[in-house]
Amino acid sequence: MRIVDLRSDTVTLPTPAMRQAMFDAELGDDVMGEDPTVNRLEAMAAARLGKEAAVYVPSGTMANLVCLLSHCARGEEAIMGHMAHTFLFEAGGSAAVGGIHPRTVPNQPDGTLDLGDIEAAIRDPNNPHYPATRLICLENTHNRCSGAVLTPAYIARVRALADRYGLKIHLDGARIFNAATALGVTAAVVARDADSVSFCLSKGLSAPVGSLVCGSAEFVRQARRQRKVLGGGMRQAGVLAAAGIVALETMVDRLVDDHANARRLAEGLAPLPGVVLDPARIQTNIVIWELAPGAMLAAEFAADMAAHGVKVGLVGPRRIRAVTHYGIETDDVDRALAAAKEVLR
Ligand SMILES: Cc1ncc(COP(=O)(O)O)c(C=O)c1O
């Protein structure tokens, strides 16, 4: 039985063109700045994001950590959403490694942080009781908010607030190309008002490994140093970066198909008994829904779906996540819907 794996867009496998590019890649020692393939990927990433420079790192988690370490010193504070990936799922790295104090404010269902909540969380720099606020972190698209998209207009308002208080903005853009696709703008427009941006090659773009940190030349110089501190300086990393170049060249334009499939999935799920889901809220490739009290639990649903050859993710006792990606076709969505109909009967 063919398995339809909707757990995450991180399960994507490299395309044949990526494997060939990895085989053919010209290599050097990247810690010495001599890997031509990594250098090309970093230049491409900076250009796509409209920033001066970029540095290649092994994962999205390291990308965010490198950025937080570059912006904040020990005992300083970073404001972020209570559902931010950085807060929930990065092993507390900024606190564990950097002594950075995370200050959470509520994420709204659309992934935003209320500007009033952000402002209320900014500390008085003259009061010695407080850690010093340095940074505001945003996430676009927002994973736990069902792939919600932050608009450039919203980020511009956060920028204006940050400027009033002399703060920096970090954008966790793990799925920034999904955001740009949904908005019909370039990734540079989405990244415009952020001081630093991280994005992943190994999610919807299907490369096997790697993320990029983008920002000013000076910021990236700092980030490169922090990457080394974390042990993320890789030598002939061009063998991996080669797949990332193919990802940027060939995998961005197809994200629109993932979004259409996610919408199809959401529209098919919404009328099923026990499903609490508004398909109009699905903007990109992540579909999160609730099973109402009285319906089965998420773990039972996932187990029954797996028996039908469909894998979904659990995000709470009654919450389920399904993610569309390269390798998931419209037929697969229809198979998942047929299975869900059986399971929720
Ligand atoms: C929004 C967001 N940021 C960061 C990451 C971390 O990426 P990685 O798993 O490559 O460390 C993820 C992973 O799912 C993510 O969804």
Side-chain angles (χ1 to χ4, degrees):
M1 177 167 46
R2 187 177 131 73
I3 301 294
V4 178
D5 193 344
L6 299 173
R7 287 171 303 164
S8 175
D9 46 8
T10 57
V11 303
T12 43
L13 298 176
T15 65
M18 287 180 195
R19 290 184 186 265
Q20 189 61 48
M22 293 170 81
F23 185 81
D24 292 338
E26 220 188 313
L27 305 176
D29 186 329
D30 179 52
V31 177
M32 298 185 189
E34 292 172 7
D35 188 301
T37 309
V38 173
N39 291 342
R40 200 171 141 228
L41 173 63
E42 290 177 347
M44 276 176 78
R48 293 290 287 256
L49 275 279
K51 301 295 183 196
E52 279 176 1
V55 56
Y56 183 54
V57 299
S59 68
T61 299
M62 192 185 287
N64 286 331
L65 183 52
V66 152
C67 289
L68 267 73
L69 292 171
S70 301
H71 285 299
C72 304
R74 299 188 75 79
E76 293 183 339
E77 198 163 69
I79 294 173
M80 60 187 78
H82 78 299
M83 293 204 288
H85 194 278
T86 301
F87 181 63
L88 290 177
F89 303 118
E90 295 175 15
S94 63
V97 180
I100 299 164
H101 198 239
R103 176 82 187 272
T104 55
V105 300
N107 274 110
Q108 303 303 312
D110 65 359
T112 61
L113 308 177
D114 181 84
L115 291 180
D117 289 342
I118 298 176
E119 190 161 12
I122 297 171
R123 310 280 194 164
D124 172 0
N126 299 315
N127 187 329
H129 293 87
Y130 296 149
T133 311
R134 283 284 172 259
L135 184 66
I136 302 169
C137 300
L138 301 174
E139 185 176 316
N140 201 9
T141 64
H142 202 289
N143 185 339
R144 275 297 148 126
C145 294
S146 203
V149 177
L150 306 183
T151 64
Y154 167 75
I155 302 172
R157 288 200 291 280
V158 179
R159 174 81 266 165
L161 178 64
D163 287 346
R164 273 203 279 133
Y165 289 91
L167 306 180
K168 302 288 188 194
I169 297 179
H170 170 62
L171 181 64
D172 176 352
R175 297 182 181 79
I176 197 168
F177 289 99
N178 294 87
T181 299
L183 290 161
V185 302
T186 63
V189 170
V190 183
R192 186 187 55 207
D193 284 315
D195 297 289
S196 59
V197 186
S198 56
F199 77 87
C200 292
L201 296 166
S202 59
K203 299 196 164 66
L205 302 187
S206 307
V209 178
S211 289
L212 286 121
V213 164
C214 305
S216 68
E218 174 52 27
F219 180 83
V220 169
R221 206 178 60 76
Q222 290 286 341
R224 206 173 276 285
R225 189 178 185 80
Q226 296 299 346
R227 180 186 71 169
K228 189 68 183 150
V229 169
L230 298 174
M234 300 179 286
R235 301 294 176 172
Q236 285 72 36
V239 74
L240 301 171
I245 291 172
V246 176
L248 284 178
E249 283 174 341
T250 68
M251 300 302 279
V252 173
D253 290 346
R254 58 159 305 289
L255 293 175
V256 69
D257 299 336
D258 295 342
H259 298 182
N261 279 333
R263 183 58 87 93
R264 183 183 184 90
L265 181 66
E267 282 169 356
L269 285 168
L272 299 184
V275 171
V276 182
L277 169 63
D278 177 3
R281 283 200 44 233
I282 305 306
Q283 296 174 282
T284 59
N285 67 329
I286 300 179
V287 184
I288 293 180
W289 72 96
E290 291 269 337
L291 289 175
M296 66 203 320
L297 291 172
E300 294 172 77
F301 176 81
D304 288 359
M305 289 292 279
H308 285 80
V310 180
K311 293 187 181 177
V312 294
L314 300 180
V315 294
R318 299 204 153 272
R319 281 172 85 74
I320 297 153
R321 189 181 80 152
V323 186
T324 55
H325 51 77
Y326 171 66
I328 296 295
E329 308 298 337
T330 305
D331 286 355
D332 298 315
V333 171
D334 292 343
R335 258 195 64 202
L337 286 172
K341 259 183 214 148
E342 284 289 314
V343 169
L344 291 171
R345 225 149 24 122

